[in-house]
Amino acid sequence: MAIAYASTPRRVGAPHRGPITSLLEDERWLAMALLLPTVVLLGLFIAYPFFEGVYLSITNTKVGVPGAFVGFANFDKIWNDGIFRVAVWNTVLYTFVTTVFKLALGLWLALLLNRHFKGKAFVRAFILLPFIIPTVLSTFAWKWMFDPTFSVINWVLFKLGVITGRINWLGDPELAMISVIIVNVWRGVPFYAISLLAGLQTISPELHEAAAIDGAPPWKRFWYVTWPLLLPVTMVVVLFSVIQTFADFQLVYVLTGGGPANATHLFATYAYQIGVGTGLLSEGAAISLAMFPVLFLVVIIQLLYIRRVETH
Amino acid sequence: MAQVVIRNLNKKFDNEVHAVKDVNLEIRDKEFVVLVGPSGCGKTTTLRMVAGLESITSGNVLIGDKVVNDLPPMDRDIAMVFQNYALYPHMSVYQNMAFGLKMRKFERAEIEQRVHAAADILGIHELLQRKPRQLSGGQRQRVALGRAIVRHPQVFLFDEPLSNLDAKLRVQMRVELKKLHDRLGTTAIYVTHDQVEAMTLGDRVVVMKDGLVQQVGEPLELYNTPANRFVAGFIGSPAMNFAAVTVSDGGGALWAGNDGLRIKVPAPLSNRIGAYVGKPLTMGIRPEDLRIANGADPTDLSFGAVVEVVEKLGSEILLDVKVGGGSMVASVEPTTLTKVRDQVRLAINPDRLHFFDNASEAAI
């Protein structure tokens, strides 16, 4: 840019500039002016809450009680908290299982959608529905479907003769976790499918034709051509989704509230329950912050991977 | 090595476009046949049906003596070079060339030997460890060729392989392709829209238009005796001049004339157009069969023209001239001193006149 400016000839007899205009002629001031809105927004909505959270986590603040500095007492406390440990395990399990299913189903859907068929555009738009509907809304619908009395799933299974009694989807600790996972997969698959479809469409059909002529049967074409070329997109999608899922809140909050008996608590829901529900702000902040190292690691891996792809 | 036979081949796409119509071709063993025609003439679709990349609506494709209509591409023992090279971007040049052999479960040592042999022929040894994106267009083209030749297939299929190269490289690769074919002797089908490529590479050339084969023949056969007006205009550069003329009988000879010229048609040709006396038809004359007339040229084999554009190409000069209500291009000696708006007299080579029926466009 500097070169471009330097080579632009000064217009002779240009009108006199005001003080602000001439200040913005200087690239350093212009850069600052252009960056300011972003800095303000990020500072207000990302940096401030984050540092406030860090500050809260090392005090003993409660709702209405300004706290004093307590060091790492909150972290010590949650370390020895059995429910916190359950929440950690749940979050890891929830993230891992849903990611595997979302990736597998999303890839399968993307491969199907990448073929030519009638009504392709409509189906592609339709697939996105679970992703477009506000989570709270769709989760309420699922809550009805899992309702012990009114469950449509139970009704269908009963009518088909698969079950004889009611399945207590959200009341049984193990089933509740499975239910939560099902809803998350349902909600997350479209994102995978559409992103991977976009990735698939960047792969030239000629490569598949070349591989077909080279003697590769369909699954080898997938394994040797499609998959390696789709991997960069897949990595980004997975890491994105892992971050989202790890910090998931709405879905569990609406569906089970973390219950039954804390069986479905995740980091976020447990932090909310402790911090807002019971008013122990500092402890809630400590629980939220415990997520940070894991997510930080994920982000680092993501950035390193993207850089590697870019430089190669 | 094998011959390829195409019998009554048809292709209709879902949208009812009839892309290939009743194509019949016999490509002999070791022959280099070029399919040429404008965009949408069905040449690439025909090639893709031979490759097995496109389903056949009706008709047969035989490779060797075997009908391959229902065989997948991998079982047809063919290799194809694509327009955009279609190199696997995540594999090295070596891996690209070895892929087909690996898929066919060749021994490691055999693969290595064949890839190196192909790399020697194409002079790409030092590129073997590179990725396709680190190569220039010409190098990619060589790798794509290498991937085809390591397999020792029965037939090579080329889908406009040179059209992504710049003009100079295209000429160079054209010569190398010709040499490669002379060396390997593999049957080859080559698709292009460039008639110069077709003429220089093909043992025989197939001219196609609107899904129909217009003419099949050796390059000079197409040039000298085009079957119809389309082939006459498509083969040769600059293109043949066409003039609407009416045939008349006078003084014991036949004359072809319009508002700008009146040519006495020589004997063997005049026999053929005898039925057209009093009727209009199209006369064709190539730019290289026109020259500036001198005093010795009879007036019934020359005509007056006004120069509109002078294109000096070095080896020749192209004159865009106005003849009566029409226009023509003449290729004249590079030493000719002619300027725009000059009045010139152009003499024709009467043995190289062509006549085409106006309705059927067939050569007479």
Side-chain angles (χ1 to χ4, degrees):
Chain A
M1 287 311 281
I3 296 161
Y5 275 135
S7 63
T8 310
R10 294 253 162 187
R11 272 176 297 158
V12 180
H16 178 72
R17 295 188 184 87
I20 292 176
T21 322
S22 38
L23 201 61
L24 290 182
E25 281 287 295
D26 187 333
E27 268 184 39
R28 284 167 303 179
W29 288 103
L30 182 69
M32 263 191 241
L34 292 176
L35 280 174
L36 197 64
T38 316
V39 170
V40 168
L41 283 176
L42 286 179
L44 215 55
F45 296 109
I46 307 278
Y48 171 71
F50 178 74
F51 288 112
E52 181 68 18
V54 174
Y55 170 73
L56 278 176
S57 71
I58 50 172
T59 67
N60 57 359
T61 311
K62 292 174 188 142
V63 174
V65 184
F69 178 75
V70 293
F72 289 102
N74 290 318
F75 291 98
D76 188 51
K77 192 174 168 194
I78 61 169
W79 180 250
N80 295 307
D81 177 356
I83 302 173
F84 175 73
R85 293 187 173 195
V86 171
V88 172
W89 166 245
N90 283 348
T91 309
V92 172
L93 182 80
Y94 178 72
T95 307
F96 180 76
V97 175
T98 57
T99 302
V100 168
F101 276 96
K102 282 189 279 193
L103 177 60
L105 291 173
L107 184 59
W108 175 68
L109 255 180
L111 289 169
L112 285 182
L113 290 177
N114 199 32
R115 291 163 172 252
H116 286 288
F117 56 90
K118 275 192 181 152
K120 189 169 66 178
F122 175 76
V123 174
R124 282 182 186 174
F126 195 74
I127 287 286
L128 268 177
L129 269 184
F131 191 60
I132 297 164
I133 302 170
T135 310
V136 175
L137 211 67
S138 57
T139 309
F140 262 114
W142 276 99
K143 195 172 181 178
W144 268 104
M145 293 203 283
F146 286 139
D147 187 277
T149 316
F150 306 108
S151 169
V152 66
I153 300 170
N154 281 354
W155 184 82
V156 170
L157 292 177
F158 184 77
K159 288 286 175 192
L160 288 175
V162 179
I163 56 170
T164 49
R166 283 178 184 151
I167 298 179
N168 194 359
W169 290 102
L170 300 175
D172 177 271
E174 270 181 29
L175 273 179
M177 195 65 196
I178 292 173
S179 306
V180 169
I181 285 172
I182 289 173
V183 180
N184 181 281
V185 170
W186 172 83
R187 199 191 115 71
V189 163
F191 171 66
Y192 275 77
I194 294 296
S195 307
L196 294 177
L197 177 63
L200 282 177
Q201 289 183 334
T202 65
I203 301 173
S204 159
E206 273 194 354
L207 292 179
H208 285 266
E209 296 179 347
I213 289 175
D214 267 341
W219 74 269
K220 280 192 176 172
R221 295 207 282 275
F222 174 79
W223 184 245
Y224 286 108
V225 179
T226 311
W227 181 245
L229 292 176
L230 195 61
L231 199 59
V233 177
T234 311
M235 282 297 280
V236 173
V237 172
V238 166
L239 288 165
F240 226 75
S241 155
V242 163
I243 294 170
Q244 293 262 322
T245 313
F246 207 84
D248 203 359
F249 172 78
Q250 306 177 63
L251 203 153
V252 172
Y253 181 73
V254 172
L255 215 53
T256 65
N262 304 314
T264 56
H265 259 316
L266 306 179
F267 268 112
T269 54
Y270 190 49
Y272 178 82
Q273 182 176 319
I274 296 293
V276 180
T278 59
L280 301 170
L281 286 177
S282 52
E283 228 176 282
I287 295 169
S288 299
L289 269 185
M291 260 192 287
F292 183 68
V294 180
L295 291 184
F296 189 67
L297 196 71
V298 172
V299 170
I300 294 287
I301 293 170
Q302 183 179 21
L303 288 179
L304 284 178
Y305 180 78
I306 290 173
R307 181 168 296 177
R308 202 179 71 111
V309 169
E310 273 176 356
T311 51
H312 270 261
Chain B
M1 308 291 149
Q3 58 166 0
V4 177
V5 178
I6 297 172
R7 279 199 199 122
N8 303 324
L9 193 67
N10 276 282
K11 176 70 189 182
K12 262 189 194 161
F13 285 105
D14 296 339
N15 51 8
E16 291 298 304
V17 172
H18 199 166
V20 174
K21 297 169 190 160
D22 265 328
V23 168
N24 282 289
L25 272 180
E26 284 198 19
I27 295 148
R28 295 185 280 265
D29 185 23
K30 299 187 173 145
E31 196 177 21
F32 198 118
V33 165
V34 179
L35 306 186
V36 67
S39 303
C41 73
K43 56 190 192 295
T44 295
T45 309
T46 305
L47 188 80
R48 288 171 62 84
M49 284 194 280
V50 174
L53 297 173
E54 208 76 66
S55 65
I56 292 169
T57 307
S58 71
N60 282 319
V61 172
L62 288 85
I63 297 176
D65 297 320
K66 202 162 74 176
V67 176
V68 296
N69 288 20
D70 300 319
L71 283 184
M74 56 185 283
D75 296 329
R76 295 189 181 199
D77 201 9
I78 48 160
M80 186 155 166
V81 178
F82 292 85
Q83 183 174 0
N84 301 315
Y85 321 129
L87 299 176
Y88 311 118
H90 54 295
M91 298 184 196
S92 68
V93 167
Y94 182 92
Q95 288 167 325
N96 262 285
M97 288 167 69
F99 187 72
L101 299 173
K102 189 174 155 191
M103 287 300 112
R104 287 180 161 77
K105 303 208 162 52
F106 276 69
E107 294 282 334
R108 218 195 163 100
E110 168 84 3
I111 293 178
E112 202 162 305
Q113 185 261 321
R114 283 199 187 192
V115 170
H116 284 293
D120 278 340
I121 293 176
L122 296 162
I124 51 173
H125 236 125
E126 69 282 4
L127 307 177
L128 285 177
Q129 296 316 315
R130 294 214 204 146
K131 290 276 175 67
R133 67 176 157 273
Q134 296 166 302
L135 306 177
S136 68
Q139 290 170 330
R140 284 180 205 184
Q141 186 56 66
R142 275 166 219 270
V143 176
L145 281 174
R147 188 170 63 180
I149 66 178
V150 289
R151 295 242 322 275
H152 304 171
Q154 295 203 68
V155 183
F156 283 136
L157 304 177
F158 297 96
D159 183 12
E160 309 215 16
L162 304 184
S163 56
N164 280 4
L165 301 177
D166 64 58
K168 201 177 163 190
L169 205 51
R170 204 178 308 158
V171 174
Q172 189 190 331
M173 284 304 291
R174 206 166 71 199
V175 174
E176 288 193 29
L177 266 176
K178 187 85 181 157
K179 281 189 197 158
L180 193 65
H181 179 254
D182 288 345
R183 177 170 179 169
L184 301 174
T186 310
T187 312
I189 309 178
Y190 186 107
V191 162
T192 180
H193 61 262
D194 179 348
Q195 56 98 14
V196 178
E197 249 171 58
M199 299 287 279
T200 49
L201 281 171
D203 293 327
R204 281 191 302 154
V205 176
V206 180
V207 183
M208 291 182 75
K209 184 197 169 200
D210 298 334
L212 288 165
V213 171
Q214 304 290 314
Q215 189 173 5
V216 183
E218 288 174 18
L220 285 182
E221 193 181 333
L222 299 185
Y223 178 82
N224 292 326
T225 53
N228 57 36
R229 187 181 159 158
F230 175 77
V231 175
F234 193 79
I235 300 291
S237 175
M240 185 185 280
N241 298 301
F242 296 107
V245 294
T246 310
V247 181
S248 58
D249 199 345
L254 291 183
W255 298 76
N258 60 20
D259 61 344
L261 51 82
R262 192 171 138 83
I263 302 289
K264 187 176 171 185
V265 183
L269 249 179
S270 60
N271 297 341
R272 279 187 261 157
I273 62 168
Y276 286 85
V277 173
K279 290 181 193 162
L281 45 68
T282 304
M283 185 181 80
I285 182 84
R286 294 198 183 275
E288 49 272 35
D289 296 326
L290 291 172
R291 60 188 165 77
I292 302 282
N294 56 40
D297 283 307
T299 51
D300 51 11
L301 288 176
S302 62
F303 53 87
V306 180
V307 177
E308 289 190 310
V309 178
V310 179
E311 298 176 76
K312 292 173 183 160
L313 300 182
S315 61
E316 59 180 342
I317 291 178
L318 297 182
L319 299 179
D320 288 50
V321 297
K322 206 165 160 58
V323 182
S327 56
M328 285 195 182
V329 177
S331 165
V332 300
E333 288 291 311
T335 50
T336 312
L337 299 168
T338 333
K339 298 187 303 294
V340 174
R341 283 187 290 279
D342 276 1
Q343 291 272 351
V344 292
R345 221 175 154 72
L346 294 172
I348 63 164
N349 180 349
D351 299 330
R352 300 193 56 86
L353 275 177
H354 302 266
F355 288 100
F356 305 96
D357 185 282
N358 275 358
S360 71
E361 300 204 336
I364 300 164

